Amino acid sequence: MWQSLTQRELHWRVLSLALPMVISNITVPLLGVVDAAVIGHLDHAWYLGGVAVGSTMINVTFWLLGFLRMATTGFTAQAYGASDNRELAATFVRGASLAGLLAVLLIALHVPILEGVMHFSDASAEVKHYASQYFSIRIFSAPATLMNLVIMGWLLGAQNARQPMWLLIVVNSANIVLDLLFVVGLDMKVEGAAAASVAADYLGLMLGLYFVKGIWQSRQLPTVRSVFERGLTGMSRLLKLNRDIFLRSLSLQLAFTFMTFQGATLGDDIVAANAVLMSFLMLISFAMDGFAYAMEAMVGRAIGAQSKSALLVSLIGSTFWSLVICLAITLAFGVAGRHIIALISDIEAVRDQAARYLPWLVAMPLVSMWCFLLDGIFIGATRGKDMRNGMFVATAGFFVAWWLAQDWGNHALWLAMLTFMALRGLSLAVCFVYHWRRDSFFDVTH
């Protein structure tokens, strides 16, 4: 099967799915930079602090509900591979229904959620006030944000990466423009920053529904009404997969949150240096997420078509390009890492600390690429239980590694993170070999 690497069509299929998502991911940190620049130029620091706290609360909330995109991608890709138009339509309707229900719950419960978080926050009264103001406005973007997750997952599952790319680019670009208009032009301060995000999300929803309508009509899918009339069979399977991915995401968030808070106990320079190096880790994530998305779509399609050869070819193509990208990132970090650090911070103490721990980041791409790729495989195969259990193992390994090496200070945290990434990949690799030998990847009734 390795001769498939000589096939131009395979490389085109992988890159046509992966590169649009990598490109669109670039707009995410750009939005964060503009947000910070716009709010950071107001006359008090508590505005920026309020937006930082409020946006973190919103982003974590929506990120934990990212299972809406992942599950939708897997089920849609399988229906697409099986040429099952009714299931293709039903997958979208099920995901949209669940997104709508969760959005209503978030809006209904946002006051106690906000009060609970603020109760445990040590921020100043002013920061708490503006964080609450930001959160209370942004939460009303929940219907659009969660629906956009479903739309992105559905489009990717239908082997279309360009439209999700444009969806993300339009949402983030509109957010930047509206940020400038509302905050700078209309002097709406924190309320303006929140309102800009809400308006951009709903603009993205309209564009996303337009994209869905185009595919719906071109494939002559059943009407939404007919899907409801026949009943949303398969909802229990969707809920089970979403539960497993949610628990996986919660464990992932636990590891990263611990790293941030434990780093804070080691001094301000360490915190700042870790923040610089975490931006390196985000770069790896942005690059590898695109190939994970491609893997999800191709694996789900192969499983839907019940084609082991197509599945193997998809794995070979995605692994090849992931390896190329990760080798390039490793080389860049090894050769130019100190120069990249200097571009991010001009504080000498922070630069020195970041350079001290840079070798951990040089090793990170080649260690972590496997967990991204295998995540893509198991999402495409809709095997959330394996992903959940693998993440539990990796999270336990993270804390054990830190505890055993905690006398090493910040090195212990980076050892724990490297161990975490390695165990994520290793645990899923064991599951992959097990399913591959038993041909159980093609059992879509699990």
Side-chain angles (χ1 to χ4, degrees), residues 184-213:
V184 178
L186 301 179
D187 195 29
M188 292 172 63
K189 298 186 170 65
V190 171
E191 291 175 318
S197 295
V198 173
D201 284 336
Y202 279 99
L203 177 62
L205 175 59
M206 289 188 287
L207 179 62
L209 290 174
Y210 173 77
F211 289 151
V212 169
K213 180 182 177 183

Side-chain angles (χ1 to χ4, degrees), residues 12-155:
W12 170 250
R13 185 148 47 95
V14 172
L15 295 177
S16 65
L17 286 169
L19 291 184
M21 300 314 302
V22 174
I23 292 169
S24 58
N25 279 345
I26 294 171
T27 64
V28 177
L30 178 61
L31 171 61
V33 169
V34 173
D35 258 346
V38 169
I39 300 297
H41 280 85
L42 297 178
D43 48 1
H44 292 290
W46 58 61
Y47 292 125
L48 182 57
V51 169
V53 172
S55 62
T56 298
M57 290 169 59
I58 282 287
N59 291 338
V60 169
T61 300
F62 290 156
W63 183 81
L64 287 174
L65 299 179
F67 55 73
L68 289 167
R69 186 207 64 77
M70 298 182 204
T72 303
T73 299
F75 285 125
T76 302
Q78 289 179 11
Y80 186 93
S83 299
D84 187 344
N85 279 354
R86 187 189 178 281
E87 180 60 20
L88 201 59
T91 297
F92 179 80
V93 174
R94 283 195 296 263
S97 301
L98 183 58
L101 175 62
L102 290 172
V104 170
L105 286 175
L106 282 178
I107 292 173
L109 298 174
H110 82 275
V111 173
I113 291 172
L114 179 60
E115 290 176 349
V117 174
M118 288 297 108
H119 175 73
F120 291 102
S121 173
D122 293 328
S124 67
E126 291 84 0
V127 168
K128 285 185 177 181
H129 169 75
Y130 287 110
S132 300
Q133 187 182 80
Y134 184 92
F135 183 87
S136 297
I137 295 172
R138 273 294 308 275
I139 197 66
F140 286 95
S141 69
T145 301
L146 300 188
M147 269 297 298
N148 285 340
L149 290 174
V150 172
I151 289 169
M152 281 187 59
W154 194 78
L155 293 172

Side-chain angles (χ1 to χ4, degrees), residues 290-311:
F291 289 91
Y293 291 163
M295 188 74 93
E296 293 170 25
M298 292 192 297
V299 167
R301 181 180 181 180
I303 289 174
Q306 296 289 294
S307 174
K308 190 170 185 177
S309 62
L311 176 58

